[in-house]
């Protein structure tokens, strides 16, 4: 017994010594010089700035005249380029690709989806999205992906993940492509208040940071209509109350007007899609401070290339019903002052093309700086991560991106990211 104790003590001491060694090396200091820096909080452009980074965080930001760059510090001079905080996409599905849609989806294993996620995490980060909220994935493949990225094993954005999305039997968040004899239910299916409560607790148990559920029917599913409600107000309220009790925010997939209003009344933190939003929905969302996360680019992709990617005729027909309406709804909601966070539903269309949506947001009512704020400060607020991402200021993670040109004059420059830094580490440099 004594011998065992001695061994344990030696192992402990060795562990402490190894950790002490790790902490010995001082964190690296980097100074980034930017001719233009977008202050996403104030919504303005600052000229001739220096960002001082120590380790993975921003230490200081200020004008080149004020900030003394200490000797021996690595200096990255961006020349005439524009510096922004890393972008945030609040609605992605990293573990899915559009070519895996429709019936093809049934032949793809969860391990395969997880590896697809590793590929898409890399593409998303290279596109300047240093943070994503992944809302819906099979069997916690997103939890595995998040943990591998956090462990530094694979490159990728910071991830907030939901695990399987909750929904009713036969609804958008169930799987209806198989015949009854397969007796298959999606893992997020829960009917009735007690089952919804239990499922909410279950996904939190297995690693969900956020809860996603289907309040209405959807487009890329069989046998349901985007406009119909799929959870009762009682089920939604129970879910939201439990999630919030456990410190998790809630994202509600909702196309239909009734589902949007009822989900907002139940206290969800964001409405995803919001395609058929009406005046009451807009009023209710404003009253409750609910974010709208509307994927208003991907209609072009689905109607243009969905057929060859395996989307069924029914899916394409439903997309024709809601695609353009969602853009008009977005314009109305934005003009009425509903809070907007950037979310693309990437996975429905190819990952890495997230920034294509900015031009559509500007076309449908936002100013360029508002579009940028939707993908930075607003999305950070929605995620509950305002303390760490969304703007360039002391204390935040050194998640930075660089574009050539002025995104406030031409928002499409965000589709061509030249430099990406995540947590003080350069992950892309084409300057
Ligand atoms: Zn989605």
């Amino acid at each position: 017994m004594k011998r065992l104790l001695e061994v344990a003590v030696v192992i402990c001491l060795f562990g402490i010594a190894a950790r002490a060694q790790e902490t010995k090396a001082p964190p690296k200091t980097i100074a980034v010089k930017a001719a233009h820096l977008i202050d996403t909080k104030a919504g303005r452009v600052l000229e001739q700035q220096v960002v001082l980074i120590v380790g993975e965080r921003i230490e200081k930001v200020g004008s080149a005249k004020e900030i003394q760059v200490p000797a021996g510090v690595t200096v990255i001079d961006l020349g005439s380029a524009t510096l922004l905080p890393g972008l945030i996409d609040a609605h992605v599905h990293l573990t899915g690709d559009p070519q895996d849609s429709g019936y093809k989806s049934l032949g793809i294993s969860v391990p395969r989806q997880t590896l697809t996620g590793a590929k898409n995490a890399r593409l998303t980060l290279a596109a300047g999205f240093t943070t994503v909220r992944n809302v819906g994935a099979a069997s916690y493949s997103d939890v595995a992906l998040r943990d591998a990225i956090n462990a530094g094993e694979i490159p990728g954005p910071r991830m907030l993940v939901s695990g399987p999305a909750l929904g009713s039997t036969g609804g958008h968040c169930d799987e209806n492509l198989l015949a009854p004899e397969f007796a298959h239910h999606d893992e997020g299916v829960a009917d009735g208040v007690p089952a919804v409560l239990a499922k909410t607790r279950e996904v939190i148990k297995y690693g969900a940071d956020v809860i996603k559920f289907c309040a209405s029917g959807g487009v890329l599913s069989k046998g349901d209509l985007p406009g119909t409600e799929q959870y009762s107000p009682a089920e939604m309220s129970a879910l939201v109350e439990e999630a919030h009790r456990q410190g998790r925010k809630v994202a509600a997939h909702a196309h239909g007007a009734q589902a949007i209003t009822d989900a907002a009344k139940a206290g969800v933190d964001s409405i995803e899609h919001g395609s058929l939003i009406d005046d009451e929905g807009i009023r209710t969302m404003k009253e409750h401070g609910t974010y709208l996360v509307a994927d208003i680019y991907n209609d072009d992709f689905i109607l243009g290339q969905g057929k060859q990617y395996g989307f069924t005729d029914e899916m394409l027909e439903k997309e024709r019903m809601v695609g353009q309406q969602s853009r008009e709804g977005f314009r109305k909601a934005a003009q009425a002052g509903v809070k907007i966070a950037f979310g693309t539903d990437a996975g429905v269309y190819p990952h890495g093309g997230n920034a294509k949506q900015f031009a559509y947001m500007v076309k449908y009512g936002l100013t360029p700086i508002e579009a940028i704020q939707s993908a930075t400060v607003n999305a950070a607020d929605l995620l509950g991560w305002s303390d760490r991402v969304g703007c360039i200021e002391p204390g935040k993670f050194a998640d930075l991106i660089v574009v050539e040109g002025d995104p406030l004059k031409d928002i499409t420059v965000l589709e061509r990211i030249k430099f990406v830094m995540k947590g003080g580490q350069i992950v892309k440099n084409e300057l």
Side-chain angles (χ1 to χ4, degrees):
M1 186 65 195
K2 196 170 164 228
R3 174 86 197 124
L4 254 179
L5 264 176
E6 276 169 12
V7 170
V9 167
V10 167
I11 289 170
C12 272
L13 287 175
F14 184 76
I16 290 163
R19 268 200 299 282
Q21 281 264 301
E22 273 169 30
T23 51
K24 253 186 190 168
K28 202 177 167 200
T29 304
I30 302 171
V32 178
K33 289 187 172 176
H36 317 282
L37 181 153
I38 299 198
D39 175 354
T40 49
K41 249 187 186 169
R44 59 183 178 165
V45 182
L46 303 173
E47 309 296 335
Q48 305 304 333
Q49 297 289 298
V50 172
V51 181
L52 214 56
I53 296 155
V54 179
E56 59 177 8
R57 303 232 180 213
I58 295 166
E59 175 88 2
K60 248 188 213 171
V61 187
S63 81
K65 283 181 202 141
E66 289 162 13
I67 292 199
Q68 294 289 325
V69 177
V73 161
T74 308
V75 176
I76 301 169
D77 194 334
L78 302 175
S80 61
T82 303
L83 182 66
L84 297 95
L87 300 169
I88 303 166
D89 191 328
H91 190 131
V92 299
H93 302 278
L94 290 185
T95 56
D97 272 333
Q99 58 269 29
D100 304 337
S101 298
Y103 281 88
K104 274 193 276 180
S105 67
L106 300 173
I108 299 167
S109 70
V110 171
R112 185 70 186 90
Q113 291 175 43
T114 312
L115 292 170
T116 295
K119 182 255 301 176
N120 290 330
R122 181 167 38 81
L123 291 176
T124 303
L125 184 60
F129 287 79
T130 51
T131 300
V132 300
R133 190 179 62 156
N134 204 84
V135 279
S139 291
Y140 305 94
S141 48
D142 52 353
V143 170
L145 190 57
R146 175 199 66 192
D147 292 350
I149 292 169
N150 288 346
E153 292 163 4
I154 55 168
R158 303 179 194 285
M159 289 182 78
L160 213 89
V161 307
S162 71
L166 274 66
S168 58
T169 292
H172 178 66
C173 286
D174 195 0
E175 176 57 78
N176 297 334
L177 292 171
L178 289 162
E181 56 267 37
F182 288 96
H184 176 74
H185 279 81
D186 244 4
E187 58 215 324
V189 168
D191 297 309
V193 167
V196 166
L197 270 181
K199 188 60 80 174
T200 303
R201 290 169 181 165
E202 184 182 310
V203 295
I204 291 171
K205 172 181 174 178
Y206 292 122
D209 306 300
V210 58
I211 308 299
K212 161 85 180 290
F213 77 95
C214 282
S216 86
V219 173
L220 305 181
S221 48
K222 184 186 170 195
D224 65 334
L225 289 169
T228 57
E229 195 164 39
Q230 295 191 337
Y231 259 161
S232 68
E235 287 170 313
M236 294 192 218
S237 295
L239 184 155
V240 173
E241 201 181 305
E242 182 59 24
H244 285 175
R245 196 188 341 263
Q246 299 208 42
R248 265 65 169 189
K249 296 205 180 200
V250 179
H253 160 107
H255 289 283
Q258 190 65 51
I260 292 167
T261 296
D262 286 344
K265 279 184 181 162
V268 302
D269 300 279
S270 61
I271 295 289
E272 311 299 304
H273 313 296
S275 310
L276 308 176
I277 194 166
D278 61 5
D279 291 343
E280 196 192 352
I282 288 172
R283 212 170 32 246
T284 314
M285 286 180 73
K286 276 189 74 176
E287 192 186 318
H288 290 262
T290 320
Y291 272 99
L292 175 63
V293 180
D295 49 325
I296 59 170
Y297 160 71
N298 63 33
D299 180 58
D300 281 16
F301 174 82
I302 295 171
L303 294 184
Q305 293 164 79
K307 183 94 181 164
Q308 75 209 51
Y309 275 85
F311 293 69
T312 65
D313 289 342
E314 180 192 347
M315 293 171 183
L316 297 174
E317 186 50 44
K318 288 196 281 185
E319 182 60 32
R320 277 188 279 276
M321 282 162 54
V322 302
Q324 192 53 34
Q325 276 214 62
S326 78
R327 293 170 175 178
E328 298 303 337
F330 173 84
R331 187 203 300 275
K332 260 182 102 171
Q335 278 170 358
V338 170
K339 294 196 284 185
I340 306 287
F342 184 96
T344 61
D345 218 356
V348 164
Y349 75 102
H351 291 276
N354 312 58
K356 286 181 182 177
Q357 185 170 287
F358 283 112
Y360 287 72
M361 295 173 99
V362 170
K363 185 176 174 189
Y364 289 93
L366 297 192
T367 63
I369 189 67
E370 286 170 344
I372 291 168
Q373 286 172 319
S374 81
T376 51
V377 274
N378 289 13
D381 178 45
L382 168 59
L383 269 55
W385 278 7
S386 295
D387 61 336
R388 61 195 85 173
V389 294
C391 63
I392 302 174
E393 65 174 27
K396 300 289 190 289
F397 281 122
D399 294 354
L400 306 173
I401 61 165
V402 175
V403 293
E404 268 161 8
D406 181 358
L408 301 190
K409 290 204 179 86
D410 175 11
I411 195 79
T412 67
V413 298
L414 291 170
E415 295 170 28
R416 296 175 292 281
I417 302 291
K418 300 293 177 190
F419 175 97
V420 179
M421 175 184 277
K422 181 191 163 201
Q425 308 259 358
I426 297 169
V427 292
K428 176 181 181 174
N429 190 357
E430 292 176 359
L431 282 169

